Structure formats: structure tokens, C-alpha cells
Amino acid sequence: MATLDLQEQEQLDNLKAFWQRWGNLITTLVTLALLAFAGWNGWTWWQREQGLKASLLYDEVERAAEAKDVDKTLRMWQQMKDQMPRATFTAHAALLTAQVAFDGGKADAALGALEWAAEQAKPQALQELALLRLAAVHLEAKRFAPAEAALARIQSTAYAGLVADKRGDLAQLQGQADKAREHYQAAFLALPKEQPYRQLVEAKLTALGVDTSSLTAKETK
């Protein structure tokens, strides 16, 4: 049997003392770390599975939308909303479903999909896009207060031009021509020159007697 010299024996005694003092804590920490790692792996696997399932269901929504099958589109989106409400695909499906329902004469269903997306959609950009479309639906029905409330919730500067345009529509529908001009001018200046929608805003300004060349000159200064 091998014998230990004094130095080795001292090191062994120190190791035993250290383990006796800290062994349970070390074991607990290692166990927690392994559990956390396993949990993270489980979470990422579940996320991947949810993402795959959401993409497959979204494909079904798209096919139903292309076929103009309003009832199936609504049914497939309802399934997505019930099973995976936080998935980005579900938010996209809500916007697509709203358009299909609106075109198919089911305004209430379109409104419901947009209202859901305006509250639940992730990321924020999709939520604000839903609010923009919700405002447009309210304007179509001349529901002015809900339209303004939806526009007021949009904070992203990326939508500043489109929000100004909708506020111009709101003002014009209420017979406020001066305010409409002001909003349309803000929309014209905020929208990129290459964006086709800017031409529509330009047409609205021209109809209200505004020479847009003066606005273009202001941009170049």
C-alpha cells in the first residue's frame, strides 16, 4: 500500500476539509446549472417546434386567402390564435385574415382580427401596422373617435407619414379642409420620395389646392 508524504497528506486533508464545507453547495450549484441547461434546451426545442407549426398553419391561411375562402381563412387563423397567440406568424395571419374578411364583406370579422393584432401582435411594428389598418377600417365606416384613438397609439417614426395621411383623411371627412392640408403636407414630407403611396398623398394635396412643388423645394433646401 502506498504511503503519502507529509505534504501530500496535508493537501489531502485540506481537500477533504474543503469538500466537507462546500461539497453540498457545489453539488447543488452543478445540479442547478445542469437543470437550467436542460430547461434551456427544452425551451429552444419547444420554440422551434412552435415556430414550425405556426409556419405550416400560416401556409394554410395563405392558401385559403389566395382562394378567397373567407370562412377557411378565419377558421385557420382562429386555430393559430388559440394555439400559438405569441407567434409572429399568428400576427401576420391576423393582418392577412382581416384583409380577406374585409374584401369578403365580413367587416366585423376583419375588425376583430385587427383589434386582436392591435393588442397582441409581436413585434411592436406589427402591432402598429394593425393599428394603422384598424384606423383605416374605422374611417371607412366614419367612426371618427375610434380612428383617432388607434392613430394616437402609433409611436414609431417609421409610420409617421402614413399616420399623418390618415389624420388628413380624418380631417377631410369631418369637413376640416385646413387641418387636412396640414396633415397631408406633413405626410408628403415624411414619406420617402421613392414610395409610391406618396403620389396618392400628392393627389390629395392637389385636390385641396396645394402646389406640391413648393413642398418639394422645401425638401431640397
Side-chain angles (χ1 to χ4, degrees), residues 35-112:
L35 288 173
F37 180 72
W40 173 253
N41 278 342
W43 170 252
T44 54
W45 175 85
W46 183 83
Q47 288 283 78
R48 285 196 300 271
E49 288 295 303
Q50 288 293 99
L52 177 60
K53 187 176 181 181
S55 70
L56 293 174
L57 286 174
Y58 182 74
D59 287 343
E60 291 293 322
V61 173
E62 276 195 322
R63 279 193 285 271
E66 288 173 1
K68 301 188 187 311
D69 189 337
V70 180
D71 290 336
K72 185 176 181 180
T73 304
L74 287 166
R75 187 168 64 252
M76 296 307 301
W77 174 68
Q78 183 68 46
Q79 185 177 341
M80 293 184 74
K81 184 179 71 167
D82 292 342
Q83 295 180 6
M84 50 201 69
R86 296 185 179 182
T88 302
F89 276 113
T90 304
H92 282 290
L95 297 176
L96 179 57
T97 298
Q99 185 62 55
V100 172
F102 191 78
D103 292 344
K106 294 193 174 184
D108 288 344
L111 198 62

Side-chain angles (χ1 to χ4, degrees), residues 8-9 19 25 33 36 40 48 64 74 92 104 106-108 122 127 137 143 149-150 154-155 157 161 164 173-174 203:
E8 289 173 333
Q9 184 63 50
W19 189 256
L25 177 61
W40 173 253
R48 285 196 300 271
L74 287 166
H92 282 290
K106 294 193 174 184
D108 288 344
K122 301 295 180 187
Q127 191 174 115
V137 171
R143 293 188 292 264
I154 301 173
Q155 302 299 319
T157 56
L173 285 169
Q174 295 179 93

Side-chain angles (χ1 to χ4, degrees), residues 120-139:
Q120 304 294 332
K122 301 295 180 187
Q124 182 71 19
L126 283 177
Q127 191 174 115
E128 295 195 337
L129 180 57
L131 285 166
L132 193 62
R133 294 185 182 179
L134 185 61
V137 171
H138 284 311
L139 285 172

Side-chain angles (χ1 to χ4, degrees), residues 125-179:
L126 283 177
Q127 191 174 115
E128 295 195 337
L129 180 57
L131 285 166
L132 193 62
R133 294 185 182 179
L134 185 61
V137 171
H138 284 311
L139 285 172
E140 183 80 15
K142 293 184 170 54
R143 293 188 292 264
F144 302 140
E148 175 55 39
L151 293 173
R153 290 176 55 192
I154 301 173
Q155 302 299 319
S156 174
T157 56
Y159 292 124
L162 295 175
V163 170
D165 172 63
K166 290 300 173 216
R167 286 205 165 107
D169 292 343
L170 177 61
Q172 190 162 16
L173 285 169
Q174 295 179 93
Q176 302 170 347
D178 289 341
K179 186 176 286 187

